[in-house]
Structures are given as structure tokens and as C-alpha cells.
Amino acid sequence: MQVISISSLKGGVGKTSITLGLASAAWAAGVSTLVIDLDPHADTTTGLGIKHDDMSTEIGTMLRKPKQFRLHEHAVTSGWIQTNHRNGTESGVLDVIRGSAKTSLFEKVTTRRREINRLMTLLDQTQGYDLVLIDCPPALNGVTRMAWAASTDVLLVAEPSLFSVAGTERTFRALDLFQREYAPKLRNSVLVVNRVRAASTEHKYRLAEMRRMFGKRMLDIQVPESSNWQQIQGAAWPVHAWPGDTASTAARTFDRLLQQLHQPQVSSRRALHG
Ligand SMILES: Nc1ncnc2c1ncn2[C@@H]1O[C@H](COP(=O)(O)OP(=O)(O)OP(=O)(O)O)[C@@H](O)[C@H]1O
Ligand SMILES: [Mg+2]
């Protein structure tokens, strides 16, 4: 089971949007996926069409007593899938573990392994998914560190702007230090740049700067700024099902991003589904 944390120190750079884009690509490719919303704001939960009155156990409660819960028993089916079923369309597994403000109880940074390993303990008891996507809060706090400790991959998200580049450098440094001590399963940490405007001179400059700083850790795939992104997210809809050329270009970008991060499983599923 591959576990990818989507993370950044800076807020608003697109962690939730990238999580939703990857979830949409996994959904379209038929990859059995669990999305864990670890941000107390719970934007991913909303974006995946989980209703406000949903009563499923949220992640904050399960993190308090990780040995007592199996995530797959508390996951809810994404609203994307439910809508699709009503339309009579077949699709793969896309489950969600709801986020909630209770997660903020774990924000304090600690060096105690029992605390850091809470999410890892939950995931060790989880079955039935090929891919787990974790949307992290915008901070290097205890919650993000729990996500990193449980992950096989970390995808950092940055914008092509001065402060985002500086923040990414600090985040990579913190991640590398943390990995040695606390994240034995982590094998891959890379950067994707979001909200890129190809015609912007400032963006070209920042992209070249990031390439010099991060080398191969910066993925070639970049996510362009897209005019209808908020509309798609506001409708709690997968980008792969949204009509129009702009959405379908964004969907192809997320297909390539997923293939780069999750190659073996995607290709085997594609082969299975013809
Ligand atoms: N590629 C994009 N094109 C256009 N708008 C985007 C793009 N990526 C993100 N956005 C918009 O930018 C805003 C912030 O994005 P998002 O919520 O994904 O960031 P975040 O890093 O998860 O934020 P936070 O740190 O608050 O959790 C949202 O309104 C989102 O729709
Ligand atoms: Mg977010």
C-alpha cells in the first residue's frame, strides 16, 4: 500500500487541490484509494462531497486511540462515487476518512515515538487500498510529522513565488532530518509546482531557481493555474468528470502526476481494466 502525504509549510499553495486532483486521477484509473483529511480545516472532506451531517468517525477521534480502530471500517464513500452510481456509471473505490478540528489536538511537536507513530499504527491495521492520499495542514507541526512518519512518499507543493521557494527549502531540510530518525518507510520525497502561468516571466525565473535548488527532486510535471478550479471544487466534483477543455487538460496533468508517483499499481490496474 503506497501512502503519499501532500504537504507544505506555507498555506494556500494548493495541497488540497493537488490531493483532490490525484484522487480524481486515481478514481478515473480505478485505483482503490483512501483519502485521509488530516487538516483540521477539513477542506478535502468538503471537496470530496462528504456531507456536513455525515456521522462517520473522523480522524481526530481515531488518532486518540489508534490501536482500537481500523480505518477501512470507518471510511465513507466519496460523494463523487455516490453521484456516479446514481448516474449508473461504474467506478473504483474512493473512500474518505473525514477531517475535523479534533486533529488540532495533535499539533504540538514531540519527539516521543508513540505520539509520532499514531497514524502509522492506524495505517498498519488498514486493508483494501492500493493508494492512500493524506492532505496535511500548512505547518510542520505534530500532525504533519505523523503523516510523514506513516508515508512511503511525500509530495511537497509549492508555488513559483519567492516565499514559497524559501519555505520549500526549509521543508525539505526538515523532512530529510525527520526521515533519518522517524520515517523508516519514507522512500521518495519530491516537489510539484502548482499554479504555474507559462507566460509569466516571474514564474519562469522562480522555476529555474527551484530547478537549481532542488534538482531531480522537482518533478517535470507542473500544475498550471486554471480558471475554473474553484468552480469545480465548489461543486465537489472530480476534475475528470468536469466538462470542457480546461478541465480535461488539468485532468491529463493529474493523470501524469499520478503515473509518476504511483506507476506500478496504475499500470497493473489499467492492464486489468483494459
Ligand atoms: N492550479 C490552480 N489553479 C487555480 N486555482 C488554484 C490552483 N490550485 C489551487 N487553487 C486555488 O487556490 C486556493 C488555495 O488552494 P488549496 O486550498 O488547494 O491550498 P492549500 O495549500 O490546501 O491551502 P491550506 O494551506 O489553507 O490548506 C483555492 O481556492 C484553490 O481553488
Ligand atoms: Mg488545504
Side-chain angles (χ1 to χ4, degrees), residues 6-20 39 41-44 135-139 157 159 193-196 223-231 233-234 250 254:
I6 296 94
S7 190
S8 78
L9 174 101
K10 193 174 183 308
V13 294
K15 294 172 292 299
T16 299
S17 301
I18 300 289
T19 305
L20 293 172
D39 189 342
H41 277 265
D43 295 339
T44 294
D135 187 18
C136 295
V157 182
E159 287 176 330
V193 187
N194 181 35
R195 299 194 82 138
V196 175
V223 181
E225 185 153 71
S226 207
S227 54
N228 54 1
W229 216 213
Q230 288 211 349
Q231 208 186 344
Q233 290 170 350
F254 284 111

Side-chain angles (χ1 to χ4, degrees), residues 23 26-35 72 75-78 80-81 85 90-96 127-131 269 273:
W27 166 77
V31 179
S32 295
T33 303
L34 176 68
V35 180
H72 52 274
V76 277
T77 306
S78 157
W80 297 356
I81 303 281
H85 280 168
E90 278 301 313
S91 53
V93 175
L94 181 60
D95 285 352
V96 187
Q127 296 162 7
Y129 303 103
D130 293 333
L131 177 65
R269 286 255 156 187
H273 290 262

Side-chain angles (χ1 to χ4, degrees), residues 43-179:
D43 295 339
T44 294
T45 306
T46 308
L48 284 161
I50 306 302
K51 300 272 181 287
H52 289 297
D53 57 2
D54 185 279
M55 296 300 286
S56 61
T57 318
E58 39 63 52
I59 188 68
T61 298
M62 291 191 269
L63 285 170
R64 292 179 83 154
K65 295 191 170 155
K67 288 193 179 141
Q68 291 185 11
F69 291 96
R70 277 161 188 75
L71 288 179
H72 52 274
E73 291 171 5
H74 300 274
V76 277
T77 306
S78 157
W80 297 356
I81 303 281
Q82 287 163 4
T83 308
N84 242 37
H85 280 168
R86 279 201 296 279
N87 295 343
T89 319
E90 278 301 313
S91 53
V93 175
L94 181 60
D95 285 352
V96 187
I97 297 290
R98 277 199 307 131
S100 86
K102 285 187 190 165
T103 312
S104 54
L105 290 171
F106 300 97
E107 280 173 355
K108 197 166 152 236
V109 174
T110 168
T111 51
R112 291 176 64 197
R113 276 176 206 279
R114 191 172 148 267
E115 295 296 317
I116 294 169
N117 289 348
R118 282 176 186 273
L119 185 59
M120 190 198 287
T121 305
L122 276 170
L123 280 167
D124 283 347
Q125 296 154 188
T126 301
Q127 296 162 7
Y129 303 103
D130 293 333
L131 177 65
V132 177
L133 299 171
I134 305 173
D135 187 18
C136 295
L140 294 188
N141 60 21
V143 176
T144 296
R145 284 163 206 258
M146 272 197 299
W148 289 354
S151 294
T152 56
D153 302 71
V154 171
L155 178 64
L156 296 187
V157 182
E159 287 176 330
S161 73
L162 170 65
F163 294 142
S164 185
V165 174
T168 303
E169 216 230 332
R170 283 195 289 275
T171 312
F172 264 132
R173 230 182 301 139
L175 179 58
D176 291 344
L177 279 174
F178 182 85
Q179 175 176 14

